[in-house]
Amino acid sequence: MTSVNTQVLTSLLENQFIPVIAPVGAGKKGESYNINADHVAGHIASALKARKLILLTDTQGVLDKQSKLISSIKVKDYPKLIDDGTIKGGMIPKVNCCAEALRGGVKKAHIIDGRKDHAILLEIFTKGGVGTEIVP
């Protein structure tokens, strides 16, 4: 990804609209590219200088090898979890996007189960949360 044009997003947000973003990019010759939505979300969060990035998914968050939720991961530690096979499959782009967003200035990222009632509130306002937070 080369850049995120935030003008439209900023205008929508300033006017109390919640944008729904399709992860499609444009090439130099007008061609369309389908981009991984996690990748797009991380770059948009960085470009907007968001304080928090929340990814809703259909799993609890990052699970250890015994399928128990890992509630918090430091960004410096996540490559080891990929190398040892703890983080695998579709969770890799999610954690990579969170790490990229943190490197871009986002303060905290969360991966939570969007199927769970009140998941965002529980993640943000309870001590242990219900998903996995990725922190600097």
Side-chain angles (χ1 to χ4, degrees):
M1 184 164 307
T2 50
S3 67
V4 174
N5 182 337
T6 60
Q7 284 182 317
V8 171
L9 292 172
T10 303
S11 177
L12 289 169
L13 294 170
E14 287 171 352
N15 288 288
Q16 306 296 307
F17 288 94
I18 298 173
V20 176
I21 302 166
V24 177
K28 291 180 181 180
K29 297 178 183 172
E31 64 274 40
S32 296
Y33 292 101
N34 180 11
I35 307 170
N36 179 288
D38 298 321
H39 190 70
V40 171
H43 282 277
I44 289 171
S46 295
L48 291 175
K49 303 199 181 339
R51 283 182 269 163
K52 197 175 286 276
L53 170 65
I54 299 173
L55 300 180
L56 295 175
T57 186
D58 62 353
T59 63
Q60 292 178 295
V62 178
L63 305 178
D64 67 17
K65 290 185 178 181
Q66 290 75 41
S67 296
K68 302 266 190 220
L69 181 67
I70 301 172
S71 62
S72 186
I73 299 172
K74 291 182 181 171
V75 76
K76 69 178 178 67
D77 295 333
Y78 92 94
K80 290 178 264 183
L81 295 172
I82 292 173
D83 290 343
D84 75 10
T86 300
I87 299 173
K88 57 187 182 273
M91 193 55 68
I92 293 173
K94 290 180 184 346
V95 175
N96 281 336
C97 120
C98 290
E100 184 65 32
L102 291 171
R103 285 191 284 273
V106 174
K107 303 294 183 230
K108 191 184 281 191
H110 302 263
I111 301 171
I112 60 176
D113 190 342
R115 303 168 301 174
K116 185 175 180 95
D117 289 343
H118 313 294
I120 295 173
L121 294 172
L122 291 168
E123 178 66 14
I124 294 172
F125 294 117
T126 62
K127 185 174 171 98
V130 295
T132 301
E133 68 174 3
I134 316 285
V135 296

